[in-house]
Amino acid sequence: MNFFDRFTKGWQKYRKPGYYEEFDYAWTMTIDLDRCTGCSACVTACQAENNIPIVGEKAFAKGRQMQWIRIERYWEGEYPNAKLSFIPMLCQQCDAAPCETVCPVSATYHNQDGLNTQIYNRCIGTRACAVYCPYEVRYFNYNDHHWDAPLDQQLNPDVTVREKGVMEKCTFCIQRIRTAKDEAKDDGRRRVRDGDVQPACVQTCPTEALVFGDRKDPQSKVSKKLKDPRAYRVLEELNTLPSVVYLKKVDADG
Amino acid sequence: MGISIVPTLKVLKPVGLIIGGGFAGLLLGYWVNVTYFADDAPQQPIDFSHRIHATDFEIPCMYCHVQARRSASAGVPSVSKCAGCHQEVATDRAQIKKLMAFWENKEPIPWIKVHDLPDFVHFPHNRHVAAGLECQTCHGPVETMDRVKQIAPLKMGWCLNCHKEYEVENGLDCWTCHK
């Protein structure tokens, strides 16, 4: 088998319909918009856990802010009758991710946990993935960032500090998933139990609007949440099959 | 009267000599650097010999590198670990006096890292020790070295070879080792 055959065969195997059903885990997050108060604790927790830089005023004005999870605000109506709603937006970890197909160096790919992952040192910074992402949740390092003296001590050693010219995105705190899997292995268990692993945003959410787990386990908290009739996915019509499921906010007036 | 190239060459001769001499100098410098100043076996602040400790006195690796089986980092032993023995043992030697100066000043020894992985690599020592790997598989025969030298290339292909050979679970996934 020559290189070309091997390449096409491998690609077909990777891209056959439903290939993501065969993975070990299917990590899923549900976000209950009825519970979300828009407090931004998840944003801060993510910033601390994943060494996300504070870009500063100038870069922010250019639209170069970095937040792997952000709270989007939507106003409806005019002032006296104005209604405000929030939606936390993070990488949807799509099973059929548009960003993966476009990367020329395969720096972003689907791993065996069904996660859409990014390898920073492989990324060459074409930014094509950010263009393809319909959720606008990929962030590019336009500059090298540094942390002033006491703050560099709080950097998470399990996460790289990304350098200039590298794309980055939410990983579902893959370093915590990795640790949980290692612990499961040490205990002689084959799988991670429900509740063993939580991303930083889920851990921090004061109203427990965010729930994280494996949807392959029918007993997990997240599987029960998925049966809620309020469940929907953002931009479902694009058929990206996101792993983040939102539970619709139901008002008194419908 | 023909046109000759010789006068031009005569003018260029000193320039050629300088360039040639410079090039030879660079080659010599490179050779000297690689042979005598290779940084794969740096001069440490104290001439600690693994041969004396591990071969002659048969101290197991994990007596000093206690963190190897417990954490991602194998860890360099603290000065108190050294002082634990050397307050009594071989106190008259020059190197031990150097060590005890660090102990009395309550300062860490500025050891130079030999086996250094880039920051984007997640290498947990405890997982590898738990899998039953010998220290020598990656670090070479450290117990025979007077000054520690890097033996394995510690490159990605070298890591993957082993992961393939032992069929490590998810061993070829990027995020198993990258972070």
Side-chain angles (χ1 to χ4, degrees):
Chain A
M1 209 191 291
N2 64 21
F3 170 76
F4 186 71
D5 285 345
R6 228 166 48 218
F7 183 78
T8 47
K9 275 254 171 71
W11 189 249
Q12 278 159 10
K13 188 177 136 207
Y14 177 62
R15 272 298 166 195
K16 80 168 189 282
Y19 69 96
Y20 39 81
E21 297 294 328
E22 294 161 16
F23 291 140
D24 306 348
Y25 296 92
W27 298 113
T28 307
M29 188 187 287
T30 59
I31 301 177
D32 194 337
L33 296 178
D34 220 356
R35 286 173 174 238
C36 179
T37 59
C39 69
S40 293
C42 49
V43 179
T44 315
C46 180
Q47 208 108 14
E49 170 76 18
N50 291 304
N51 303 342
I52 301 171
I54 309 290
V55 291
E57 211 172 319
K58 263 189 191 165
F60 191 90
K62 289 179 185 164
R64 295 175 178 181
Q65 76 272 29
M66 296 183 120
Q67 297 167 335
W68 287 2
I69 179 169
R70 61 171 190 262
I71 308 284
E72 290 186 353
R73 292 191 306 177
Y74 293 98
W75 290 94
E76 282 172 49
E78 283 305 311
Y79 161 61
N81 303 315
K83 211 168 79 178
L84 173 62
S85 51
F86 304 102
I87 178 164
M89 184 51 73
L90 68 160
C91 175
Q92 305 286 308
Q93 309 285 351
C94 311
D95 280 338
C99 55
E100 287 170 13
T101 56
V102 71
C103 184
V105 291
S106 300
T108 179
Y109 74 104
H110 227 69
N111 82 347
Q112 77 287 331
D113 282 10
L115 290 177
N116 173 253
T117 52
Q118 175 86 15
I119 305 297
Y120 307 121
N121 58 316
R122 194 164 194 179
C123 177
I124 56 169
T126 63
R127 286 179 276 161
C129 50
V131 175
Y132 270 52
C133 177
Y135 305 96
E136 302 286 331
V137 285
R138 287 180 157 267
Y139 299 93
F140 188 67
N141 284 278
Y142 284 95
N143 297 98
D144 275 328
H145 302 281
H146 79 102
W147 281 257
D148 289 329
L151 289 176
D152 58 353
Q153 296 293 318
Q154 61 100 48
L155 289 172
N156 186 351
D158 292 335
V159 182
T160 331
V161 172
R162 282 79 55 182
E163 60 181 9
K164 182 178 175 178
V166 169
M167 190 60 74
E168 60 183 64
K169 63 179 269 297
C170 162
T171 59
F172 265 1
C173 287
I174 195 165
Q175 67 278 9
R176 294 185 177 204
I177 297 175
R178 189 164 54 193
T179 311
K181 283 210 262 184
D182 282 352
E183 276 168 10
K185 219 189 244 178
D186 287 343
D187 290 357
R189 282 181 277 130
R190 218 179 66 76
R191 288 180 72 83
V192 175
R193 283 177 307 204
D194 188 38
D196 271 3
V197 54
Q198 272 184 327
C201 52
V202 176
Q203 188 185 2
T204 315
C205 186
T207 57
E208 292 180 20
L210 280 64
V211 174
F212 182 79
D214 180 13
R215 69 170 175 270
K216 286 211 164 172
D217 173 9
Q219 296 304 313
S220 69
K221 219 171 150 189
V222 82
S223 295
K224 285 168 190 163
K225 285 261 182 190
L226 286 175
K227 288 175 192 141
D228 197 305
R230 295 184 291 140
Y232 76 99
R233 292 174 164 88
V234 177
L235 299 181
E236 209 164 356
E237 67 276 14
L238 297 177
N239 202 24
T240 53
L241 307 174
S243 297
V244 180
V245 176
Y246 291 85
L247 304 182
K248 194 178 181 302
K249 183 175 184 173
V250 182
D251 291 337
D253 54 352
Chain B
M1 195 178 140
I3 299 166
S4 171
I5 200 172
V6 176
T8 321
L9 285 180
K10 264 186 185 161
V11 174
L12 286 178
K13 198 178 171 185
V15 181
L17 277 176
I18 289 169
I19 291 174
F23 189 67
L26 277 177
L27 281 179
L28 183 73
Y30 176 76
W31 177 79
V32 168
N33 195 21
V34 164
T35 319
Y36 294 106
F37 300 98
D39 57 356
D40 59 349
Q43 173 81 51
Q44 301 285 358
I46 294 176
D47 289 334
F48 174 85
S49 169
H50 276 88
R51 185 180 53 77
I52 293 174
H53 290 82
T55 303
D56 297 356
F57 295 110
E58 296 178 353
I59 302 173
C61 305
M62 279 188 239
Y63 179 79
C64 297
H65 300 282
V66 281
Q67 301 307 324
R69 63 172 178 270
R70 296 182 186 131
S71 84
S73 163
V76 173
S78 58
V79 183
S80 65
K81 191 107 197 171
C82 307
C85 292
H86 281 295
Q87 274 178 331
E88 304 295 333
V89 180
T91 43
D92 54 330
R93 311 257 170 91
Q95 297 299 327
I96 305 303
K97 279 177 184 157
K98 236 196 237 178
L99 164 74
M100 293 318 284
F102 281 111
W103 170 243
E104 271 143 32
N105 295 336
K106 296 190 189 326
E107 278 172 10
I109 306 168
W111 296 112
I112 296 159
K113 203 170 182 183
V114 179
H115 295 84
D116 196 12
L117 288 171
D119 285 348
F120 51 74
V121 178
H122 168 75
F123 179 85
H125 272 90
N126 52 346
R127 307 296 320 161
H128 291 82
V129 173
L133 251 74
E134 293 287 323
C135 306
Q136 284 81 353
T137 312
C138 302
H139 291 285
V142 175
E143 72 275 10
T144 63
M145 296 178 196
D146 279 326
R147 195 195 290 177
V148 177
K149 188 177 179 222
Q150 183 179 327
I151 298 292
L154 305 184
K155 295 276 192 280
M156 190 174 114
W158 173 81
C159 295
L160 284 179
N161 273 347
C162 207
H163 276 199
K164 264 185 197 164
E165 195 182 323
Y166 291 101
E167 292 173 357
V168 179
E169 189 191 350
N170 298 333
L172 302 181
D173 179 45
C174 308
W175 268 93
T176 304
C177 310
H178 283 286
K179 61 178 187 184

